[in-house]
Amino acid sequence: MPNDAKNADTANTAQAARTGAPATAAATAHATGGVTSRTTPVTVIGLGAMGRALAGALLDAGYPTTVWNRTAGRGEDLVARGATLAASPAEAVRAGEVVLVCVVDYAASQAILEPVVADLAGRVLVNVTSDSPERAREAAKWAQEHGIRYLDGAVMIPTVMVGTPEALLFYAGDKSAYEEHERVFTSLGGRSAYVGADHGLAAVYDLSMLDFFWTSVSGLVHGYALAAKDGVAAASLAPFLKAHISLLSLMVDETAKDLDAGEYPGDEGNLAMEVEGIEHILHAAELRGLDVSVLRAVRDVARRAVDLGHGADGWSATVVGARNPA
């Protein structure tokens, strides 16, 4: 590891100790003497924003890192930090014990990997390209047919968080491969998690969390827009929304317990009344000229559950309406 990188890691660790802020994964590893033992060669294929961030985190953690990208002209910054730029996919694959792929989709990854399948023998292939559970399972079947140890992954954080203790990445598939190279994976994110032998599970976790995230962000923006129609600035509403979100956080475990048990207690609010509440929001939003397609969809799913006999149950019963589209 270059001396300037070591000095930066030491400074980061010291700064974290002074301020209480979390140190980077690389800084923590260096402070505990972990970097010097990290000699597993790793290859990163795909140098978009996320691929570069992953390669950078590996370099920070002290791993010998080889990189390759289909489009020339990327990777020079990583080379300046100590990475090796491969001339071809085959050269890149042969350089790594762990081969990490991060490209636009599985069609792109297969187009790159198919011609170098013989070079992948004896290596651990980790595909963190975002796609569907079905595509992940197809890729796993292909890897198994060619005797390749395979993990499918999902990166759940923006590029600026890669390599930090708070960064979350999911991995699924070959458990022994995950355990063998767990230090590689935790260098990319301190909250790396193995979620099961089914290769599609990383994508399942990914899509489920993003389903929640994007519908929540949509509601956040729509709530601000509704308030703005009556002259309320978003900044004025923000502190109260933060308090409201803390209530939502409390619901996460309880809702999971209810759904897993197939129970939908309505003691603290029944679905029939909540549907009427949504109608009031719809009326106000339509009157103010806002798009209400998302709100209407939420109302329709809840109303469907009421029509199926769950009017006295709680909001978790909307899962019944979601499973029974009209």
Side-chain angles (χ1 to χ4, degrees), residues 182-259:
E182 188 169 3
R183 293 187 71 185
V184 172
F185 305 133
T186 55
S187 75
L188 300 176
R191 295 175 59 206
S192 292
Y194 176 80
V195 294
D198 176 356
H199 289 83
L201 286 177
V204 170
Y205 276 69
D206 177 25
L207 297 178
S208 297
M209 290 183 65
L210 291 177
D211 182 345
F212 169 75
F213 179 78
W214 289 119
T215 51
S216 299
V217 171
S218 175
L220 175 66
V221 173
H222 200 273
Y224 280 141
L226 182 58
K229 288 294 185 178
D230 282 59
V232 176
S236 298
L237 189 60
F240 304 103
L241 282 174
K242 287 180 180 178
H244 216 48
I245 289 170
S246 69
L247 296 177
L248 183 61
S249 179
L250 295 174
M251 293 175 61
V252 171
D253 289 335
E254 280 298 311
T255 301
K257 183 180 72 174
D258 292 342
L259 291 175

Side-chain angles (χ1 to χ4, degrees), residues 25 71 82 95 97 134 150 154 163 176 178 207 211 222 249 252 255 265 278 287 292 307 319:
T71 304
E97 185 176 333
E134 290 72 27
Y150 182 68
S176 65
Y178 178 83
L207 297 178
D211 182 345
H222 200 273
S249 179
V252 171
T255 301
I278 296 172
L287 193 63
V292 294
D307 293 342
V319 70

Side-chain angles (χ1 to χ4, degrees), residues 9-10 29 39 58 69 92 108 111 128 143-144 151 170 193 209 214 222-223 237 255 271:
D9 283 346
T10 303
T39 57
L58 291 166
N69 192 64
V128 295
Q144 183 179 29
L151 285 164
F170 291 123
M209 290 183 65
W214 289 119
H222 200 273
L237 189 60
T255 301
L271 201 52

Side-chain angles (χ1 to χ4, degrees), residues 33-90:
V35 167
T36 55
S37 64
R38 296 186 177 197
T39 57
T40 302
V42 183
T43 288
V44 177
I45 292 177
L47 298 178
M50 185 57 72
R52 292 197 303 275
L54 294 169
L58 291 166
L59 289 168
D60 287 344
Y63 287 102
T65 304
T66 299
V67 297
W68 181 83
N69 192 64
R70 286 185 298 177
T71 304
R74 289 184 179 176
E76 287 82 358
D77 56 329
L78 296 168
V79 171
R81 294 168 60 185
T84 299
L85 182 62
S88 67

